[in-house]
Amino acid sequence: MSDELLVVRAQLGERAALAELVARWRVPVWTYVRRMLDAERADDVSQEIWLAVVRGLPRLREPERFAPWLFTIARRSITDRLRGQYAREHETLMPAADASTGDAFTGDAFTGDAVAAMVDRAVLVEALARLPLPEREVLVLHYLEDLPVADCAHICQVPAGTIKSRLSRARRLLRTCLEEGDRS
């Protein structure tokens, strides 16, 4: 069943349709949030996102645009959380905690002979975390969430050309980060 049909059915009050939408999109949303925030905040923000979805779903006028609408809500929730964090840090005048010391694998499960994959993933996660937020965001949305440029532009509220520029810059920065890691 398509997302569009599930949205319409959920808007009509069918709980099973809403449950199926949540089941279908829970992992992609959490993954997006986790790539933008640490694991502790990702769980809280994901719950906030789904609460906003349940509250806002009756007002969604274009059910076929559910995915961009969902990720727009997610982006706003992430931005609000980061804004609150920065405000608290500024108020206390304490230096920000170094995000690179956090455990990038909290809650992740690896199977098989994943030692090499874990090392590769750790390097990639570290490099991704060093990117500026706008570039990291478009990489996550476009490549990891597999959203087209037009949807990324809608979510980020910038023109498609800006998304393409950010993707180009993000790939270049990521390549540089990964090459620097190879040298050390």
Side-chain angles (χ1 to χ4, degrees), residues 2-163:
S2 72
D3 287 344
E4 182 178 0
L5 183 56
L6 286 172
V7 168
V8 170
R9 290 173 67 184
Q11 287 175 327
L12 294 172
E14 189 176 316
R15 290 182 182 196
L18 178 62
E20 190 170 338
L21 270 175
V22 172
R24 186 177 290 182
W25 286 97
R26 184 183 54 80
V27 172
V29 167
W30 188 88
T31 303
Y32 169 63
V33 173
R34 176 59 183 95
R35 287 188 171 113
M36 302 305 289
L37 302 170
D38 59 64
E40 288 180 26
R41 292 184 295 174
D43 289 337
D44 291 342
V45 171
S46 292
Q47 288 180 355
E48 292 169 11
I49 291 165
W50 287 111
L51 184 59
V53 166
V54 169
R55 287 180 178 160
L57 197 59
R59 295 184 306 275
L60 178 60
R61 296 191 191 277
E62 299 177 63
E64 68 278 4
R65 305 273 305 148
F66 177 75
W69 177 76
L70 173 62
F71 280 98
T72 299
I73 291 172
R75 181 178 190 264
R76 286 182 184 149
S77 295
I78 291 166
T79 302
D80 289 347
R81 184 60 61 104
L82 289 173
R83 192 175 292 131
Q85 173 191 343
Y86 296 147
R88 282 188 302 278
E89 288 173 0
H90 181 69
E91 286 174 4
T92 60
L93 298 175
M94 298 291 290
D98 183 11
S100 64
T101 61
D103 182 7
F105 299 107
T106 304
D108 287 351
F110 293 97
T111 58
D113 68 326
V115 174
M118 283 176 54
V119 171
D120 289 346
R121 183 168 187 256
V123 170
L124 185 60
V125 166
E126 180 183 343
L128 195 59
R130 291 190 305 197
L131 295 180
L133 191 58
E135 284 75 14
R136 181 177 359 146
E137 179 177 45
V138 296
L139 276 179
V140 169
L141 287 171
H142 186 67
Y143 290 109
L144 302 177
E145 298 302 333
D146 204 27
L147 292 173
V149 169
D151 287 350
C152 294
H154 179 77
I155 292 165
C156 296
Q157 298 176 339
V158 297
T162 301
I163 295 297

Side-chain angles (χ1 to χ4, degrees), residues 159-181:
T162 301
I163 295 297
K164 290 176 183 177
S165 296
R166 286 182 186 172
L167 281 169
S168 177
R169 182 170 189 266
R171 287 189 297 261
R172 189 174 59 252
L173 289 171
L174 187 60
R175 187 177 311 114
T176 301
C177 287
L178 292 172
E179 288 171 355
E180 287 173 0

